[in-house]
Amino acid sequence: MATQHSRSVARLMMAPAVVLLLGWMLVPLTMTLYFSFKKYLPLRGGDLGWVGFDNYVRFVTSSSFWPAVQATLVIVGGVLAITVVLGILLALLLDQPMWGQGVVRILVIAPFFVMPTVSALVWKNMFMDPVNGLFAHLWRFFGAEPISWLSEASMPSIVMIVSWQWLPFATLILLTAIQSLDSEQLEAAEMDGAPPLKRFFFIILPHLSRAVTIVILIQTIFLLSIFAEIFVTTGGAFGTRTLTYLIYQRVLESQNVGLGSAGGVYAIILANIVAIFLMRIVGKNLDA
């Protein structure tokens, strides 16, 4: 058992890392809070003094605020639905014995290591281009008129691109969970005459509940701050402007640091609300 001296030494050795981590988080947060109460226009007069909660009122009463929140939640919900459902199906498929199983698993997981900007450019130019894209050629092959995905179906296109990036992560987590399932349970159910669907819904799916919870929690944290894919593809047009992209426009395009900082505080509040909701509703599986 650890003694009081060993615990003190462990705390002392961890202290530099903890201090660095706290500084890494608290310094940007403090600066965001500081500038959110000021009218700071870097290229139009600089620091123009304190304005109190005026930035918060202007940001939340803007006509772009609630559509941005709605777009953010639609993207998060759409990506989670696709990655969880397809992740379970892919994990079940990859768990089956097949020729070249290791190579297939690597190919399935590979998209997760592609940078978001690169994957968005690939989808934009190689797949969704209305003239030379792969989808356009497929449409013409079947006698249909190609569509401009990023303008006529902008939100489904963004959801598709982001889902392609995060599907390998969900598949990897769920495949690991499936491989930890006791095969004797499935064999016993099969011997008792349980059909495949009942074995899936009453044995496999309950076993995956904790893994699904982890996938949802981790992906939600990152998806709430999605930016690169929208910046590269639609530029926030056609109803795809998320809260993060709106903050970017206020800070860099409008050169209003105070207004953008107030938006950053709202983004933090939204992230915490979603996280608390998920922990209360979905996160109960972690205690099971």
Side-chain angles (χ1 to χ4, degrees), residues 71-72 74-84 86 111-112 114-117 119-121 123-124 128 150 154-170 219-220 222-231 233 240 242:
T72 302
V74 168
I75 291 175
V76 172
V79 173
L80 287 178
I82 292 174
T83 53
V84 169
L86 292 184
F112 186 65
V114 180
M115 292 180 62
T117 50
S119 64
L121 284 172
W123 277 87
K124 177 182 179 181
M128 296 180 174
L150 295 175
S154 52
M155 188 61 75
S157 299
I158 296 295
V159 171
M160 188 187 307
I161 294 171
V162 181
S163 298
W164 180 80
Q165 293 177 256
W166 281 97
L167 181 57
F169 171 80
Q219 286 191 173
T220 301
F222 287 94
L223 291 174
L224 285 171
S225 60
I226 181 176
F227 173 81
E229 296 85 348
I230 298 173
F231 179 80
T233 54
T240 61
T242 60

Side-chain angles (χ1 to χ4, degrees), residues 31-218:
M31 293 181 65
T32 300
L33 288 172
Y34 173 76
F35 283 112
S36 68
F37 294 103
K38 298 178 70 68
K39 187 176 183 180
Y40 187 69
L41 311 175
L43 301 181
R44 291 179 292 165
D47 190 352
L48 301 180
W50 293 88
V51 295
F53 289 94
D54 182 63
N55 287 326
Y56 291 92
V57 175
R58 287 182 57 194
F59 196 91
V60 78
T61 56
S62 169
S63 59
S64 303
F65 176 74
W66 290 111
V69 173
Q70 181 181 2
T72 302
L73 297 178
V74 168
I75 291 175
V76 172
V79 173
L80 287 178
I82 292 174
T83 53
V84 169
V85 174
L86 292 184
I88 292 175
L89 296 178
L90 272 176
L92 290 171
L93 179 63
L94 293 176
D95 189 50
Q96 303 301 316
M98 68 180 73
W99 183 83
Q101 189 179 55
V103 176
V104 174
R105 289 179 178 178
I106 292 175
L107 292 176
V108 171
I109 297 171
F112 186 65
F113 300 100
V114 180
M115 292 180 62
T117 50
V118 175
S119 64
L121 284 172
V122 169
W123 277 87
K124 177 182 179 181
N125 298 315
M126 293 183 62
F127 292 97
M128 296 180 174
D129 187 275
V131 178
N132 298 314
L134 177 62
F135 293 159
H137 289 295
L138 289 175
W139 258 239
R140 293 192 192 97
F141 177 79
F142 289 105
E145 185 68 23
I147 66 174
S148 180
W149 286 88
L150 295 175
S151 58
E152 298 177 24
S154 52
M155 188 61 75
S157 299
I158 296 295
V159 171
M160 188 187 307
I161 294 171
V162 181
S163 298
W164 180 80
Q165 293 177 256
W166 281 97
L167 181 57
F169 171 80
T171 303
L172 182 62
I173 299 297
L174 295 169
L175 176 60
T176 304
I178 288 177
Q179 290 178 333
S180 66
L181 176 62
D182 188 1
S183 60
E184 293 181 356
Q185 290 182 329
L186 292 174
E187 293 173 359
E190 186 175 2
M191 292 178 63
D192 290 339
L197 283 178
K198 286 192 175 181
R199 294 201 299 267
F200 172 75
F201 283 108
F202 290 100
I203 298 178
I204 297 177
L205 198 57
H207 179 77
L208 292 177
S209 60
R210 291 170 61 90
V212 170
T213 300
I214 293 173
V215 169
I216 292 176
L217 290 176
I218 294 178

